[in-house]
Every structure is written in C-alpha cells, then in structure tokens.
C-alpha cells in the first residue's frame, strides 16, 4: 500500500506500519527517563541475582558446616574406631582364608567377592567421613590416614580389575 495519492511522498509499507510509515516520527516526551527506568530494571535484576546467589551460598555453607560437624562427631566417637577395628579384623581374616586357586564360579569365591566389595565400601566411607571431618590437608598429615587412603585406592584398583590389582590386596591385611 502506498500512502498519498498524488505520488510525491510515496513510502513503502512494512510490517510495523502496514499503511506506510508516518511522515513524522513519534517522539517520546522523556527519552532520558525511559533510559533511566531501563537502567534501574537492569540493576534490580543484577542485584536480586546476587542476593539470591548469596543466600544460596549461605544455605549451602550452613549445610556443609552441619555435615562436617556430624562427621567430626563420628570420627571422635570411640564406637566408630571400635567398629572400624572389627571390620579390619574381619577383612584380614577373610583375606587370610581366601584361596586364589579356588574356582572363581564356586559359592565360596562369590561370597569372598561380595565381602570384598562390602569391605571396600566400608573403607571408602571411612575415608570420606574422615576427609569431610578433618579436611584434606589435615587428613594427610596423619600417617595412619595415608595408610588408610592407600588401602582404599588398592581395594578400588583390585575391584576394577586393574592389572596387578590382586597383588595390592596385601596392603589390606
């Protein structure tokens, strides 16, 4: 569509103004105020995103402190040490009874494998609880913890069928 009939001011139509663009552009009375409102809305979005991020961070930090406190309560408890000592004795006994020449499809071999998974899981959970309770730096300052970590890694390597993993079983005994 073309606007005037005399042909002097012909302006092609478009999607915004199907009847043709107006000859005089609309003028907003307060362009600076519109820019200021847009800037305020942008600042509000940024500020609210930071506030919500901060609240989320604080919430996560509080949960982390609670978990660390609970793990520390486990580590200092004498019953935790007693249970781990019993698990270590049972694991060593099972390793002593195990016969590597036994048929791998026998019921005893399958039971040994299940117990091996169980003991590895217990040792891994012990490792994680101690690392959470003490932190990584303090955890590796104790030589017994380094031995525990080595035992956990050896057990995981053995269960994942890494070549030479069976020889690392000695560390668990």
């Amino acid at each position: 569509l073309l606007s005037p009939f005399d042909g002097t001011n012909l302006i092609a139509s478009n999607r915004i103004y199907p009847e043709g663009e107006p000859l005089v552009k609309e003028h907003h009375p307060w362009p600076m105020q519109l820019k200021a409102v847009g800037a305020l809305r942008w600042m509000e979005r940024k500020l609210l995103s930071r506030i919500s991020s901060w609240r989320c961070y604080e919430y996560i930090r509080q949960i982390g402190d609670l978990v660390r406190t609970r793990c520390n309560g486990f580590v200092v408890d004498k019953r935790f040490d007693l249970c781990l000592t019993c698990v270590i004795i049972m694991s060593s006994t099972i390793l002593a009874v195990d016969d590597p020449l036994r048929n791998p499809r026998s019921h005893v071999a399958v039971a040994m494998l299940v117990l091996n998974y169980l003991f590895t899981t217990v040792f891994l959970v012990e490792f994680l609880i101690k690392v959470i309770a003490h932190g990584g730096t303090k955890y590796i300052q104790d030589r017994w913890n380094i031995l525990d970590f080595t035992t956990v890694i050896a057990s995981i390597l053995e269960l994942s069928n890494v070549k030479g993993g069976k020889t690392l079983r000695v560390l668990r005994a």
Side-chain angles (χ1 to χ4, degrees):
L1 296 177
L2 300 175
S3 193
F5 292 107
D6 60 349
T8 57
N9 295 330
L10 295 177
I11 300 172
S13 67
N14 58 31
R15 291 182 185 171
I16 297 172
Y17 299 103
E19 63 279 332
E21 289 185 1
L23 295 176
V24 178
K25 298 269 185 184
E26 293 179 21
H27 179 68
H28 293 290
W30 303 295
M32 292 302 292
Q33 285 80 359
L34 290 176
K35 287 182 181 178
V37 168
L40 285 175
R41 287 183 184 151
W42 178 82
M43 287 173 39
E44 181 183 28
R45 281 194 313 267
K46 288 294 183 182
L47 184 64
L48 287 178
S49 70
R50 290 204 175 146
I51 288 173
S52 63
S53 300
W54 179 256
R55 286 184 183 158
C56 182
Y57 170 76
E58 284 295 315
Y59 182 68
I60 290 172
R61 192 178 63 77
Q62 289 172 356
I63 290 174
D65 289 343
L66 178 67
V67 169
R68 189 174 299 112
T69 304
R70 295 282 170 97
C71 287
N72 197 25
F74 276 123
V75 170
V76 298
D77 192 4
K78 296 292 181 188
R79 293 176 290 184
F80 182 75
D81 282 336
L82 182 64
C83 287
L84 285 175
T85 303
C86 290
V87 170
I88 289 170
I89 291 171
M90 287 188 297
S91 173
S92 299
T93 305
I94 294 298
L95 285 174
V97 172
D98 192 17
D99 182 15
L101 301 176
R102 183 177 291 130
N103 181 8
R105 297 187 189 271
S106 70
H107 295 296
V108 176
V110 171
M112 295 288 187
L113 183 64
V114 169
L115 288 172
N116 196 5
Y117 276 107
L118 177 72
F119 292 134
T120 301
T121 304
V122 169
F123 293 142
L124 181 64
V125 168
E126 174 212 5
F127 162 72
L128 291 174
I129 287 173
K130 284 186 174 181
V131 166
I132 291 171
H134 297 305
T137 307
K138 189 176 177 187
Y139 178 82
I140 53 177
Q141 289 176 353
D142 186 10
R143 294 185 191 272
W144 286 111
N145 288 337
I146 293 173
L147 181 66
D148 286 345
F149 175 71
T150 307
T151 304
V152 168
I153 295 299
S155 298
I156 291 172
L157 289 176
E158 177 193 353
L159 291 178
S160 60
N161 292 326
V162 173
K163 190 173 185 176
K166 294 281 185 188
T167 58
L168 296 173
R169 294 179 87 179
V170 177
L171 291 174
R172 273 194 18 208

